[in-house]
């Protein structure tokens, strides 16, 4: 028997290793499959450009021609709309299948199916926030419309035609690494992507924080430090713009409601830096005599890129631009007669309602003088390697109760036992809006196209070659009494419910203003003369102010004029605050020259000299930019942390930048807020400014050594473009570029211009664009990140816009023919 033992052990070890190397163990992928020369990641290598070919695809009605340019942008020429969107779906999946499918899993709360229980709380949160619920509501609306049903179903057919051609060896490498397979595409997935964008752009809320501040400090402090529209300057629709409508009555304001103090925090809210710029100049300001339009949405920078370029040509449409992989049509772009772009509105469209339940069973809640039933929805969450989890979500007429009991949750979401009302839960038809925008040639058509767009609210800018320029903050805005939703609302009182909607034709808008330009950078939508409440706080006004400042001085503008403005690195906040901060330091020694406890030392004095010579521009090598940003940020923290930070025991927020600067510049000598309540000493503004400078210099010295070129802004900012799933080695780190979140070139550490576009309207439209990535989602492709360096230095590609499928152009490289299988 013993002589057989070694052979048995060898066989056992071999079988064990074979099983282990072909099985996903925890976070470790099946190594043998991953490295297999037959089906592993080696199979994902691809030539620079696929050869000319004819593909037979079931479901096509007529042949489709596709021409690829030197950036791998597909120019799709179809003979009918079904085939146009079928081909768009097929080609997008060819380049971005894993990305588009993974993002729908994120939106739907289905990541645990892929990575196991570590994503369970995230999945619960997505479902409890109601992203799938909102997507299903929108899908019902879209499928009732013949046009959008055709678009969504044809797009899905195209995606599935690509998936059906793949063997496991040909799956995108992320499927192999995470050991799962793509699933069939459905129209619901496109709706989910739009709701994920709604979460990113309209999912922030300060209701809890403001309610806590109100309860702790009272209404006088709230009015003083958290006023409505603290930065109302440079409104998108300029004050004094004559209205062209008769306002509907606004609901009366009910008696004040004091919400209970809420603990916890939103630790995973959308990033407040997500924003955008767009602007258009009239022909009176351009060299051509016709409008110019620019757009650069600021979103998280990832690989694969959030955007995908395409040209779509069929009877009745010839459009070029970008879309989100998985969403049909073109979202930002142009046609032969018009161009359009979007920025985020940031209106108050997400509210929380404090509830009163009948008893601990939470099956009824009190509203409008009676007990109403709670609807219970059981979510089944598949978890890889474990049994499915069942999670019951409670719904009121307002919306879901995101967390109905005290628990340790993924993102410390609060408030507990409150209902959520959010515009993203309501059905809309954004696909129809973009379908119509793609075919828009005039201002009336643009206005008509926007009527079905619901969420997230966007500032839609538009220009056409009839010399119209216009902008409209657009979406479904609830009709509210003033400040409704600034604080937590009373879920028992029907007067606190949303009472209807602002009529869409009464959303703020301006057409052909006398100043000769329109613009937006996430600032307030309109002046105080606008009759409706849209929100109380918006992004800092820095970018909007700088854009308007430069546009006001622009004459004989060219596309390059707008490109240069997109890359403007000047910091308006630094220009305002740095001279004052230096003056405070210069006065930090008392008249008798006695040593001051916070007098600057030699390193701080050297830093002051660098700062005094700075031009306020956040260029990549600028040392002063690194010093100022750390200095100012720490100064703000020292000013407010003792009053509104974690030590207060409740989740709060700081006053806005505009109100903070006003206090420092005008009220510092007398304001009680200057003193740090947590210390026995009474601090002055000199103390705060000097201590913050010391912190900034010390931090940079510890990180980079003594003051010198290593303190460059690009090093301190450290812009990274990571892989979408944070897979190490598949992103680009420490990109050498200028810009800052407060500059027009809003390139920060992880967010920035995700697509820059400039369009010159004319007899032959010309357009320019770039995004920080590439058309392909395959890291082994030459087109994975080939645009990053062009984007990094602020240049744009001239976009190849074809009028016919057989048109010659020097940048065209290969052509495909798509057709139904021969019978």
């Amino acid at each position: 028997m013993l002589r057989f033992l070694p052979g048995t052990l060898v066989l056992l070890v071999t079988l064990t290793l074979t099983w282990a190397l072909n099985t996903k163990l925890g976070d470790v992928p099946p190594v043998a499959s991953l490295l297999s020369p037959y089906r592993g990641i080696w199979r994902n290598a691809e030539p620079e450009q696929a050869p000319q070919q004819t593909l037979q695809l079931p479901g096509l009605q007529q042949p489709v021609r596709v021409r690829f340019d030197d950036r791998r942008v597909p120019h799709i020429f179809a003979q009918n709309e079904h085939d146009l969107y079928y081909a768009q779906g097929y080609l997008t999946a060819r380049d971005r299948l894993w990305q588009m499918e993974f993002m729908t899993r994120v939106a739907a709360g289905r990541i645990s199916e892929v990575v196991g229980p570590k994503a369970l709380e995230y999945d619960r949160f997505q479902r409890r926030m109601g992203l799938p619920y909102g997507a299903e509501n929108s899908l019902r609306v879209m499928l009732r419309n013949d046009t959008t049903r055709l678009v969504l179903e044809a797009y899905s057919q195209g995606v599935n035609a690509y998936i059906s051609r793949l063997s496991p060896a040909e799956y995108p490498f992320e499927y192999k690494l995470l050991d799962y397979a793509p699933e069939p595409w459905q129209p619901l997935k496109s709706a989910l992507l739009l709701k994920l964008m709604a979460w990113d752009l309209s999912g922030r809320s300060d209701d809890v924080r403001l309610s806590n501040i109100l309860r702790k400090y009272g209404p006088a402090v709230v009015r003083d430090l958290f006023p409505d529209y603290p930065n109302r300057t440079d409104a998108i629709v300029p004050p004094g713009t004559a209205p062209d409508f008769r306002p509907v009555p606004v609901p009366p304001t009910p008696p004040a409601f004091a919400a209970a103090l809420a603990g916890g925090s939103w630790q995973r809210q959308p990033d407040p830096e997500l924003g955008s710029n767009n602007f258009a100049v009239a022909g009176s300001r351009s060299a051509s005599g016709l409008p110019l339009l620019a757009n650069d949405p600021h979103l998280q920078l990832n690989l694969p890129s959030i955007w995908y370029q395409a040209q779509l040509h069929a009877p009745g449409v010839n459009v070029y631009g970008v879309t989100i992989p998985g969403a049909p049509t073109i979202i930002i772009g142009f046609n032969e007669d018009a161009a359009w772009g979007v920025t985020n509105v940031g209106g108050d469209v997400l509210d929380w309602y404090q509830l009163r339940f009948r008893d601990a069973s939470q099956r009824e809640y009190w509203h409008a003088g009676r007990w109403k039933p709670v609807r219970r929805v059981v979510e089944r969450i598949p978890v890889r390697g474990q049994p499915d989890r069942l999670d019951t979500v409670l719904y009121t007429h307002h919306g879901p109760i995101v967390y109905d009991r005290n628990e340790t949750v993924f993102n410390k979401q609060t408030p507990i036992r409150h209902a959520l009302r959010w515009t993203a839960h309501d059905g809309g038809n954004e696909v129809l809006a973009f379908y119509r925008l793609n075919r828009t040639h005039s201002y009336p058509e643009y206005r008509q196209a926007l009527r079905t767009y619901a969420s997230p609210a966007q500032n839609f800018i538009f220009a056409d070659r009839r010399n119209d320029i216009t902008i409209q903050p657009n979406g479904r805005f609830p009709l509210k009494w003033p400040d409704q939703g600034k604080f937590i609302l009373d879920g028992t009182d029907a007067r606190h419910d949303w009472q209807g909607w602002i009529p869409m034709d009464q959303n703020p808008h301006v057409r052909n203003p006398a100043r000769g330009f329109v613009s937006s950078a996430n600032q307030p939508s309109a002046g105080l003369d606008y009759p409706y409440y849209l929100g109380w706080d918006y992004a800092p006004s820095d970018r909007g102010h700088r854009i308007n400042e430069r546009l006001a001085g622009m004459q004989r503008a060219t596309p390059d004029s707008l490109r240069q403005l997109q890359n403007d690195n000047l910091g308006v906040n630094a220009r305002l605050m740095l001279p004052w901060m230096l003056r405070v330091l210069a006065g930090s020694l008392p008249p008798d020259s006695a040593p001051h406890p916070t007098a600057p030392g030699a390193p701080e004095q050297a830093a002051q000299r660098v700062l005094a010579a700075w031009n306020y521009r956040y260029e990549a090598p600028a040392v002063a930019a690194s010093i100022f940003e750390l200095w100012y940020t720490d100064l703000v923290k020292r000013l407010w942390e003792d009053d509104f930070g974690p030590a207060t025991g409740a989740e709060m927020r700081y006053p806005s930048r505009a109100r903070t600067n006003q206090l420092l510049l005008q009220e510092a000598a007398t304001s009680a807020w200057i003193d740090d309540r947590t210390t026995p000493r009474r601090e002055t503004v000199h103390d705060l400014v000097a201590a913050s400078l010391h912190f900034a210099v010390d931090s940079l010295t510890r990180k980079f050594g003594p003051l010198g070129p290593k303190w460059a802004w690009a090093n301190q900012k450290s812009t990274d473009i990571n892989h979408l799933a944070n897979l190490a080695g598949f992103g680009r780190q420490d990109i050498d570029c200028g810009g800052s979140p407060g500059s027009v070139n809003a390139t920060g550490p992880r967010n920035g211009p995700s697509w820059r576009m400039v369009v010159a309207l004319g007899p032959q439209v010309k357009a320019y664009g770039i995004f920080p990535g590439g058309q392909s989602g395959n890291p082994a492709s030459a087109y994975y990140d080939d645009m990053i360096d062009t984007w990094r230095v602020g240049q744009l590609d001239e976009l190849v816009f074809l009028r016919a499928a057989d048109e010659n152009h020097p940048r065209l490289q290969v052509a495909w023919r798509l057709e139904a299988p021969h019978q």
Side-chain angles (χ1 to χ4, degrees), residues 617-676:
R617 296 183 182 275
Y618 287 77
E619 310 291 353
V623 168
S626 300
I627 302 170
F628 174 77
E629 277 299 301
L630 275 175
W631 186 14
Y632 177 82
T633 302
D634 190 68
L635 173 61
V636 172
K637 181 178 179 180
R638 289 175 189 273
L639 174 61
W640 298 125
E641 187 78 358
D642 58 316
D643 304 300
F644 301 105
T648 61
E651 174 71 5
M652 299 185 186
R653 57 159 283 181
Y654 295 170
S656 70
R657 179 186 293 175
R659 182 65 186 95
T660 296
N661 289 349
Q662 181 188 42
L663 185 145
L664 290 171
L665 293 173
Q666 301 175 16
E667 306 165 27
T670 59
S671 175
W673 299 105
I674 296 295
D675 180 44
D676 185 346

Side-chain angles (χ1 to χ4, degrees), residues 541-810:
S541 62
D542 302 16
R543 286 183 289 111
H545 181 78
R546 178 61 174 167
I547 289 169
N548 289 349
E549 181 179 81
R550 289 198 55 179
L551 291 176
M554 201 172 280
Q555 298 295 333
R556 297 193 59 77
T558 65
D560 201 58
S561 306
L562 271 61
R563 180 196 66 82
Q564 292 182 44
L565 178 50
Q566 287 181 327
N567 287 278
D568 189 297
N569 288 330
L570 186 133
V572 170
N573 189 57
R575 186 174 66 180
L576 173 68
M577 296 304 296
L578 179 57
W580 174 84
M581 293 161 73
L582 291 172
R583 287 197 303 271
V584 169
L585 279 181
S588 63
L589 291 179
D592 60 3
S593 297
H596 192 277
T598 55
E604 286 89 61
Q605 291 174 355
Q608 289 179 66
R609 289 192 291 271
V610 171
L611 288 162
W614 186 35
N615 61 2
Y616 313 118
R617 296 183 182 275
Y618 287 77
E619 310 291 353
V623 168
S626 300
I627 302 170
F628 174 77
E629 277 299 301
L630 275 175
W631 186 14
Y632 177 82
T633 302
D634 190 68
L635 173 61
V636 172
K637 181 178 179 180
R638 289 175 189 273
L639 174 61
W640 298 125
E641 187 78 358
D642 58 316
D643 304 300
F644 301 105
T648 61
E651 174 71 5
M652 299 185 186
R653 57 159 283 181
Y654 295 170
S656 70
R657 179 186 293 175
R659 182 65 186 95
T660 296
N661 289 349
Q662 181 188 42
L663 185 145
L664 290 171
L665 293 173
Q666 301 175 16
E667 306 165 27
T670 59
S671 175
W673 299 105
I674 296 295
D675 180 44
D676 185 346
R677 301 168 189 263
T678 64
T679 68
R681 184 169 172 269
R682 184 173 182 82
E683 286 79 12
T684 67
V685 71
H686 307 89
D687 299 328
L688 301 188
V689 170
S692 295
L693 179 61
H694 177 79
F695 168 83
V697 172
D698 182 65
S699 297
L700 290 167
T701 302
R702 291 173 183 271
K703 186 174 182 180
F704 299 116
L707 192 154
K710 289 185 178 179
W711 288 25
W713 174 237
N715 295 339
Q716 169 64 10
K717 178 181 58 149
S718 183
T719 296
D720 294 336
I721 304 179
N722 294 333
H723 185 272
L724 183 62
N726 284 320
L727 299 178
F730 297 100
R732 290 272 295 271
Q733 276 68 50
D734 300 321
I735 294 172
D736 185 18
C737 61
S740 71
S743 306
V744 178
N745 176 16
T747 307
R750 287 289 292 115
N751 301 325
S754 59
W755 162 246
R756 291 189 180 115
M757 179 186 78
V758 175
V759 181
L761 278 308
Q764 295 286 314
V765 63
K766 285 189 173 295
Y768 310 81
I770 202 76
F771 58 65
Q775 284 288 95
S776 176
N778 180 4
S781 169
Y783 299 96
Y784 179 64
D785 59 359
D786 60 309
M787 295 188 234
I788 288 180
D789 287 331
T790 304
W791 171 88
R792 177 182 68 81
V793 297
Q795 295 300 316
L796 303 175
D797 288 344
E798 182 171 351
L799 303 177
V800 178
F801 184 65
L802 305 177
R803 276 77 182 176
D806 56 358
E807 181 179 339
N808 291 321
H809 193 287

Side-chain angles (χ1 to χ4, degrees), residues 342-645:
V342 297
T343 67
N344 194 37
V345 171
D348 187 358
V349 295
L350 185 156
D351 290 338
W352 292 99
Y353 286 84
Q354 183 174 302
L355 300 175
R356 176 156 64 96
F357 292 102
R358 185 166 196 163
D359 52 42
S361 70
Q362 296 184 335
R363 293 187 176 275
E364 293 179 293
Y365 67 103
W366 184 257
H367 178 262
R370 64 187 179 90
W371 295 108
K372 294 185 175 180
V374 171
R375 184 166 64 93
R376 307 173 81 84
V377 175
V378 178
E379 296 280 353
R380 179 178 293 275
I381 307 176
V383 181
R384 186 170 192 157
Q386 295 186 2
D388 292 356
R389 303 293 179 89
L390 301 181
D391 192 33
T392 302
V393 184
L394 311 184
Y395 280 80
T396 69
H397 75 287
H398 299 293
I401 303 169
V402 179
Y403 286 109
D404 53 89
R405 63 184 184 277
N406 296 322
E407 58 177 302
T408 301
V409 297
F410 168 75
N411 75 327
K412 306 292 190 296
Q413 172 67 48
T414 56
I416 305 296
R417 289 180 288 275
H418 286 57
L420 172 65
R421 183 72 174 98
W422 184 24
T423 53
H425 291 157
D426 294 274
N429 198 338
E430 290 78 18
V431 171
L432 184 59
F434 290 119
Y435 172 93
R436 289 173 171 169
L437 276 174
N438 292 182
R439 293 157 175 77
T440 292
H441 303 283
S442 64
Y443 174 78
E445 291 176 332
Y446 151 83
R447 291 273 284 176
Q448 182 63 29
L450 298 186
R451 296 190 67 84
T452 65
Y453 185 91
S455 174
Q458 299 287 287
N459 300 302
F460 282 85
I461 198 167
F462 175 83
D464 65 32
R465 65 177 182 172
R466 302 182 186 189
N467 246 322
D468 273 320
I469 61 170
T470 184
I471 193 166
Q472 175 169 321
N474 190 71
R476 295 192 77 193
F477 296 109
L479 183 64
K480 295 182 170 186
W481 33 268
D483 282 347
Q484 183 179 358
K486 183 175 181 177
F487 310 96
I488 289 176
L489 297 169
D490 185 357
T492 70
D493 189 341
R495 293 172 296 181
H496 284 239
D497 289 9
W498 291 1
Q499 305 295 327
W501 305 95
I502 297 173
M504 274 212 167
D505 59 0
Q506 298 186 18
N507 287 345
H509 56 275
V510 61
R511 179 187 185 191
N512 299 327
R515 64 185 185 178
F517 65 86
V518 292
S519 71
S520 72
N522 316 115
Q523 72 266 44
S525 300
L528 293 171
D529 49 355
Y530 182 66
Y532 304 116
Y533 171 78
L534 297 178
W536 74 274
D537 192 19
Y538 291 81
S541 62
D542 302 16
R543 286 183 289 111
H545 181 78
R546 178 61 174 167
I547 289 169
N548 289 349
E549 181 179 81
R550 289 198 55 179
L551 291 176
M554 201 172 280
Q555 298 295 333
R556 297 193 59 77
T558 65
D560 201 58
S561 306
L562 271 61
R563 180 196 66 82
Q564 292 182 44
L565 178 50
Q566 287 181 327
N567 287 278
D568 189 297
N569 288 330
L570 186 133
V572 170
N573 189 57
R575 186 174 66 180
L576 173 68
M577 296 304 296
L578 179 57
W580 174 84
M581 293 161 73
L582 291 172
R583 287 197 303 271
V584 169
L585 279 181
S588 63
L589 291 179
D592 60 3
S593 297
H596 192 277
T598 55
E604 286 89 61
Q605 291 174 355
Q608 289 179 66
R609 289 192 291 271
V610 171
L611 288 162
W614 186 35
N615 61 2
Y616 313 118
R617 296 183 182 275
Y618 287 77
E619 310 291 353
V623 168
S626 300
I627 302 170
F628 174 77
E629 277 299 301
L630 275 175
W631 186 14
Y632 177 82
T633 302
D634 190 68
L635 173 61
V636 172
K637 181 178 179 180
R638 289 175 189 273
L639 174 61
W640 298 125
E641 187 78 358
D642 58 316
D643 304 300
F644 301 105

Side-chain angles (χ1 to χ4, degrees), residues 166-315:
L166 293 179
S167 68
E170 297 168 313
Y171 288 168
F173 95 99
E174 291 93 344
Y175 288 109
K176 300 173 183 179
L177 191 65
L178 298 171
D179 192 32
Y180 74 112
E183 64 182 14
W185 192 266
Q186 301 172 358
L188 177 62
K189 290 180 176 287
S190 295
L192 282 164
L193 285 172
L194 295 172
K195 294 307 174 183
L196 187 61
M197 186 61 69
W199 165 245
D200 281 342
L201 297 177
S202 68
R204 283 189 58 79
S205 169
D206 279 323
D207 304 12
V208 174
R209 299 181 178 99
L210 266 294
S211 293
N212 287 344
I213 293 168
L214 179 65
R215 179 166 285 275
K216 182 174 179 64
Y217 290 110
V221 166
V222 170
R223 284 193 299 269
D224 177 31
L225 296 183
F226 301 91
D228 290 356
Y229 313 113
N231 53 338
R232 196 68 173 202
T233 56
D234 295 294
I236 293 170
V237 175
T241 301
D244 57 359
F245 57 85
R246 182 185 297 276
V248 299
V250 173
T253 303
F257 169 71
L261 196 69
S265 63
W266 285 44
Q267 295 184 356
R268 300 264 179 173
Q269 281 199 111
D271 195 319
E273 289 181 8
L274 298 183
S276 302
N277 305 321
N278 60 22
F279 37 94
V281 298
S284 60
R285 288 188 177 272
S286 76
S288 69
L290 288 168
L292 303 167
L293 180 145
N295 189 198
D296 53 296
H298 307 152
L299 298 167
Q300 189 173 87
L301 305 179
N302 290 312
L303 289 173
S305 169
I306 190 174
W307 299 109
Y308 183 76
Q309 293 185 56
Q311 180 178 0
L312 307 180
H313 186 290

Side-chain angles (χ1 to χ4, degrees), residues 65-69 73-77 311-313 317-320 334 336 764-765 799-812 814:
R65 292 186 65 186
V66 184
R67 305 192 68 186
F68 293 93
D69 64 31
V73 175
H75 303 258
I76 304 169
F77 291 82
Q311 180 178 0
L312 307 180
H313 186 290
V317 63
N318 186 15
V319 61
Y320 186 113
F334 63 94
E336 296 189 74
Q764 295 286 314
V765 63
L799 303 177
V800 178
F801 184 65
L802 305 177
R803 276 77 182 176
D806 56 358
E807 181 179 339
N808 291 321
H809 193 287
R811 288 177 53 197
L812 293 174
V814 69

